[in-house]
Amino acid sequence: RKEVEQDPGPFNVPEGATVAFNCTYSNSASQSFFWYRQDCRKEPKLLMSVYSSGNEDGRFTAQLNRASQYISLLIRDSKLSDSATYLCVVNRGSGGSNYKLTFGKGTLLTVNP
Amino acid sequence: DVKVTQSSRYLVKRTGEKVFLECVQDMDHENMFWYRQDPGLGLRLIYFSYDVKMKEKGDIPEGYSVSREKKERFSLILESASTNQTSMYLCASTRGLAGLNNEQFFGPGTRLTVL
């Protein structure tokens, strides 16, 4: 299994749709999980951290399943401004590896009017 | 607001040239990183530094070196640029350990073309 694997996409959805992204990771020692967003020709920016209990930020909901090593991101009521590449990001474990993150290749989302 | 700046947005160099990419952060972060991003490959870690004068290899350090003489500045050096080093280079910084849900803040990137 690849270290961090995401849906390849691209996803094209109409405004108002609900869209879900999935991600799996291979390192069972990973402790921290994130979703980053990268707009075209821009740098990645943190969208949200993902906690074991699941967490929500407005229209965005992130879930973590440690047993299955699976992370998800749900976007409700999609807006045109949600169009971006979504990166699943996982830290590499404890000790010195805590400094290092592994980035998925990203899933491109286009929200259409 | 955290700000990470990179010395150039676009850079064109010739094969064999020595190339310096500079990164500066203004939030007193301990950790700084250099990544490259290529289509289909995602972000890959080249080097990182967790303190002044401290550095550690990432996943693809070959052909690169780094320098961190001051806490706010982290330089990536291509000793002898090659065409396969044409890429987008992204610098990032974070406070504390990435494993403690600390956000990595990225610079705007330098698109390097080696001819």
Side-chain angles (χ1 to χ4, degrees), chain B residues 82-113:
Chain B
S82 63
T83 54
N84 63 13
Q85 292 178 310
T86 292
S87 185
M88 171 66 83
Y89 289 87
L90 289 158
C91 175
S93 74
T94 188
R95 183 181 307 284
L97 297 174
L100 296 180
N101 288 319
N102 290 313
E103 178 178 356
Q104 281 200 8
F105 294 88
F106 285 83
T110 296
R111 184 164 293 282
L112 172 67
T113 302

Side-chain angles (χ1 to χ4, degrees), chain A residues 32 36 38 43 92 98-100, chain B residues 33 37 59 98-99 104 107:
Chain A
S32 299
Y36 277 69
Q38 186 171 23
E43 70 273 21
R92 299 191 190 185
N98 256 335
Y99 294 108
K100 300 180 185 177
Chain B
F33 306 80
Q37 186 173 30
D59 301 317
Q104 281 200 8

Side-chain angles (χ1 to χ4, degrees), chain A residues 90-103:
Chain A
V90 175
N91 94 308
R92 299 191 190 185
S94 59
S97 293
N98 256 335
Y99 294 108
K100 300 180 185 177
L101 299 177
T102 299
F103 289 76

Side-chain angles (χ1 to χ4, degrees), chain A residues 7-18:
Chain A
D7 287 341
F11 283 49
N12 284 282
V13 302
E15 267 187 295
T18 295

Side-chain angles (χ1 to χ4, degrees), chain A residues 1 23-34 49-55 62-72 89-94 98, chain B residues 98-101:
Chain A
R1 182 194 267 185
C23 171
T24 56
Y25 62 95
S26 61
N27 184 356
S28 58
S30 294
Q31 299 173 333
S32 299
F33 311 89
F34 312 87
S49 299
V50 186
Y51 302 113
S52 295
S53 54
N55 46 300
Q63 297 278 354
L64 168 65
N65 184 324
R66 285 187 185 270
S68 302
Q69 295 180 199
Y70 171 91
I71 306 160
S72 66
V89 184
V90 175
N91 94 308
R92 299 191 190 185
S94 59
N98 256 335
Chain B
L100 296 180
N101 288 319

Side-chain angles (χ1 to χ4, degrees), chain B residues 61-76:
Chain B
E62 298 78 18
Y64 303 95
S65 62
V66 290
S67 172
R68 190 153 180 218
E69 297 296 318
K70 293 184 178 181
K71 192 174 185 180
E72 68 271 18
R73 187 179 297 270
F74 192 34
S75 303
L76 180 69

Side-chain angles (χ1 to χ4, degrees), chain A residues 22-87:
Chain A
N22 302 312
C23 171
T24 56
Y25 62 95
S26 61
N27 184 356
S28 58
S30 294
Q31 299 173 333
S32 299
F33 311 89
F34 312 87
W35 285 100
Y36 277 69
R37 170 196 168 124
Q38 186 171 23
D39 293 319
C40 187
R41 302 186 187 281
K42 298 280 192 178
E43 70 273 21
K45 292 184 179 178
L46 179 67
L47 177 66
M48 56 198 304
S49 299
V50 186
Y51 302 113
S52 295
S53 54
N55 46 300
E56 191 173 306
D57 183 3
R59 299 180 293 109
F60 299 84
T61 301
Q63 297 278 354
L64 168 65
N65 184 324
R66 285 187 185 270
S68 302
Q69 295 180 199
Y70 171 91
I71 306 160
S72 66
L73 176 69
L74 185 75
I75 305 175
R76 291 182 299 278
D77 189 22
S78 301
K79 311 290 185 192
L80 297 177
S81 57
D82 294 334
S83 297
T85 297
Y86 290 83
L87 305 171

